[in-house]
């Protein structure tokens, strides 16, 4: 079991408050991802859950039990960090079994658990090696294996893959996803990586300046962001947001044309993702844009358009499409995928 509940959790360093009243109920077996800008408090919150940082105010419950004042060893959680923190003088086997050994587990039990974890993580061949004789990905697997043998109630990961190269990150992402399926343990995972967040999470928690801004499934956050911050934080490249003039049944793009779409009262900004804009002949759609920068990625091309008063708008087109810097085109926004925000940046439901 690994249900984790945070009640009005706060963190103060002297006069400075870095975590501001976080309430969150994590279900047993859930994969939760914390995202947010650098310095927003992701690691601090994770370390507070793990017991490596005190909770200044509020409470933390694991399976209904208040563990706010319990040391890490009593919480039954296991942390995996970006730096693997393996013992260099020990073999992979000894690194993985170390916590069980210090807890006084019998040798046979340690060997059995290490072997099982090594098999899951495809480390069987490396058990007698030292960490220095392993690749970065293999070392990170050992760090994860060391957590698995402890059979924790939940795994806490703080950017575990950020030291790995792009190809290895993808491979390890699959591994972690499969691990979650096979162990069905609760996992809380901090990352900067959009793809990791979207692909691994059952629910994503978006944090900013020590507060939870929105919690939802990847699809909910992508399709129904609650405000401009989440709209632009989830999705890559980010959503285009610009001012608009709106009345009851239409909006006008600054310097552009009117879009027929029911808009609630008070919309001052609108948003549209690069993948929800269609490029046509100039004069078509909601505004014209002049091609400014072309980023060819193979399957897709992202085109930064200069749209005058509406500013720069990023548009995704097919990698095969043929546009040149200086071309003038018309941009049509998918009406179903257009977002509107009020002066405070909150989403207006239409
Ligand atoms: N000991 C400390 N004293 C004062 N402030 C601290 C202390 N430790 C962390 N902070 C502050 O707490 C805030 C949150 O830090 P934290 O490391 O949790 O951010 P993060 O979201 O994990 O960032 P990153 O994405 O860069 O890892 C930061 O503004 C940081 O400066
Ligand atoms: Mg951090």
């Amino acid at each position: 079991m690994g249900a984790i509940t945070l009640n009005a959790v706060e963190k103060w360093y002297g006069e400075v408050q870095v975590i501001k009243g976080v309430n969150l109920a994590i279900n047993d077996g859930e994969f939760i991802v914390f995202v947010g800008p650098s310095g927003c408090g992701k690691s601090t919150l994770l370390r507070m859950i793990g017991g490596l940082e005190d909770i200044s105010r509020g409470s933390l419950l694991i399976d209904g039990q208040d563990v706010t004042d319990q040391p890490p060893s009593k919480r039954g959680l296991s942390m995996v960090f970006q730096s693997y923190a393996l013992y260099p003088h020990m073999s992979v086997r000894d690194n993985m079994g170390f916590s069980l050994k210090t807890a006084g587990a019998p040798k046979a039990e340690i060997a059995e658990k290490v072997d099982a974890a090594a098999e899951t993580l495809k480390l069987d061949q490396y058990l007698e090696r030292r960490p220095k004789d392993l690749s970065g990905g293999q070392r990170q697997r050992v760090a994860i294996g060391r957590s698995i043998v402890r059979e924790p109630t939940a795994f806490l990961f703080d950017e575990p893959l950020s030291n790995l190269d792009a190809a290895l990150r993808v491979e390890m992402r699959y591994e972690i996803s499969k691990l979650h399926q096979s162990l069905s343990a609760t996992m809380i995972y901090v990352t900067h990586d959009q793809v990791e967040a979207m692909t691994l999470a059952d629910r994503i928690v978006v944090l900013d300046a020590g507060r939870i801004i929105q919690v939802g499934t990847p699809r909910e956050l992508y399709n129904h962001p609650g405000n401009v911050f989440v709209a632009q934080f989830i999705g890559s490249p980010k959503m285009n947001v610009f001012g608009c003039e709106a009345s009851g049944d239409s909006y006008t793009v600054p310097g552009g044309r009117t879009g027929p779409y029911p808009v609630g009262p008070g919309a001052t900004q609108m948003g549209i993702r690069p993948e929800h804009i269609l490029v046509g002949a100039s004069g078509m759609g909601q505004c014209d844009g002049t091609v400014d920068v072309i980023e060819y990625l193979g399957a897709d091309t992202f085109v930064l358009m200069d749209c005058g008063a509406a500013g720069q708008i990023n548009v995704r087109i097919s990698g095969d499409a043929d546009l040149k810097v200086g071309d003038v085109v018309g941009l049509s926004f998918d009406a179903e995928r257009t977002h509107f925000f009020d002066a405070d940046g909150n989403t207006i439901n239409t």
Side-chain angles (χ1 to χ4, degrees):
M1 292 292 285
I4 299 175
T5 310
L6 289 88
N7 290 320
V9 163
E10 295 181 13
K11 180 71 188 177
W12 293 79
Y13 290 111
E15 299 284 289
V16 184
Q17 188 179 15
V18 298
I19 298 293
K20 299 168 184 165
V22 166
N23 292 294
L24 182 66
I26 298 171
N27 302 314
D28 180 36
E30 204 172 14
F31 202 125
I32 290 286
V33 173
F34 290 171
V35 297
S38 187
C40 72
K42 304 178 294 293
S43 297
T44 305
L45 194 56
L46 195 73
R47 292 166 64 83
M48 287 163 78
I49 295 171
L52 305 180
E53 294 278 358
D54 290 341
I55 294 172
S56 311
R57 282 190 204 146
S59 61
L60 174 74
L61 276 63
I62 299 179
D63 292 326
Q65 291 237 303
D66 192 326
V67 296
T68 314
D69 299 317
Q70 298 283 352
S73 57
K74 293 276 170 63
R75 298 189 186 190
L77 309 175
S78 189
M79 284 195 76
V80 179
F81 302 96
Q82 177 181 350
S83 63
Y84 326 115
L86 301 175
Y87 297 109
H89 59 286
M90 285 186 200
S91 67
V92 167
R93 176 181 287 287
D94 290 344
N95 263 287
M96 282 170 68
F98 187 70
S99 63
L100 295 179
K101 191 175 167 198
T102 49
K107 269 193 177 151
E109 183 192 326
I110 299 175
E112 193 183 313
K113 286 185 175 165
V114 169
D115 286 339
E119 199 190 326
T120 312
L121 293 164
K122 292 184 281 184
L123 285 170
D124 344 27
Q125 309 166 42
Y126 308 111
L127 282 171
E128 305 316 322
R129 284 201 200 170
R130 297 280 163 89
K132 70 174 174 46
D133 302 325
L134 298 175
S135 73
Q138 289 160 348
R139 281 179 215 167
Q140 192 53 285
R141 279 200 194 118
V142 177
I144 295 171
R146 189 175 49 183
S147 292
I148 294 177
V149 298
R150 297 175 51 199
E151 297 173 350
T153 17
F155 291 84
L156 311 181
F157 294 97
D158 195 352
E159 305 199 45
L161 308 185
S162 49
N163 276 348
L164 308 178
D165 71 35
L168 207 50
R169 284 183 81 126
V170 173
E171 199 180 307
M172 284 301 294
R173 197 175 77 222
Y174 295 149
E175 297 289 330
I176 289 176
S177 182
K178 280 195 280 183
L179 194 68
H180 182 243
Q181 283 169 29
S182 68
L183 301 176
S184 24
T186 307
M187 294 188 173
I188 310 178
Y189 191 103
V190 170
T191 184
H192 271 114
D193 187 307
Q194 282 279 329
V195 182
E196 283 175 24
M198 294 299 273
T199 56
L200 290 172
D202 291 319
R203 284 189 299 157
I204 297 176
V205 175
V206 183
L207 293 156
D208 187 30
R211 278 195 177 80
I212 292 184
I213 305 298
Q214 195 173 353
V215 182
T217 65
R219 274 173 204 274
E220 279 164 2
L221 296 190
Y222 178 82
N223 290 320
H224 305 291
N227 52 43
V228 170
F229 179 80
V230 176
Q232 294 203 295
F233 201 82
I234 299 291
S236 177
K238 68 180 184 183
M239 184 189 286
N240 300 291
V241 173
F242 39 90
C244 71
E245 283 170 36
S247 69
D249 54 4
S250 68
Y251 62 87
T252 305
V253 176
R257 298 176 280 278
T258 296
Y261 191 72
V263 187
T268 60
Q269 298 181 87
M270 61 181 293
I272 183 88
R273 296 191 186 279
E275 54 271 37
H276 299 146
I277 301 173
L278 210 63
V279 173
S282 119
M284 310 248 305
Q286 281 76 44
C287 69
D288 278 359
T290 307
V291 175
D292 201 7
V293 178
I294 299 178
E295 291 191 308
Y296 173 71
L297 294 176
D300 302 316
T301 296
F302 288 93
V303 184
L304 216 51
M305 306 273 184
D306 179 353
C307 296
Q312 280 193 320
I313 296 183
N314 196 0
V315 182
R316 186 186 75 180
I317 59 174
S318 157
D320 303 327
D322 193 21
L323 277 183
K324 295 183 303 298
V325 170
D327 284 354
V328 180
V329 295
L331 304 180
S332 301
F333 304 154
D334 182 342
E336 295 299 315
R337 302 286 204 154
T338 311
H339 302 257
F340 294 95
F341 307 100
D342 65 19
D344 297 327
N346 292 316
T347 297
I348 296 174
N349 290 315
T350 48

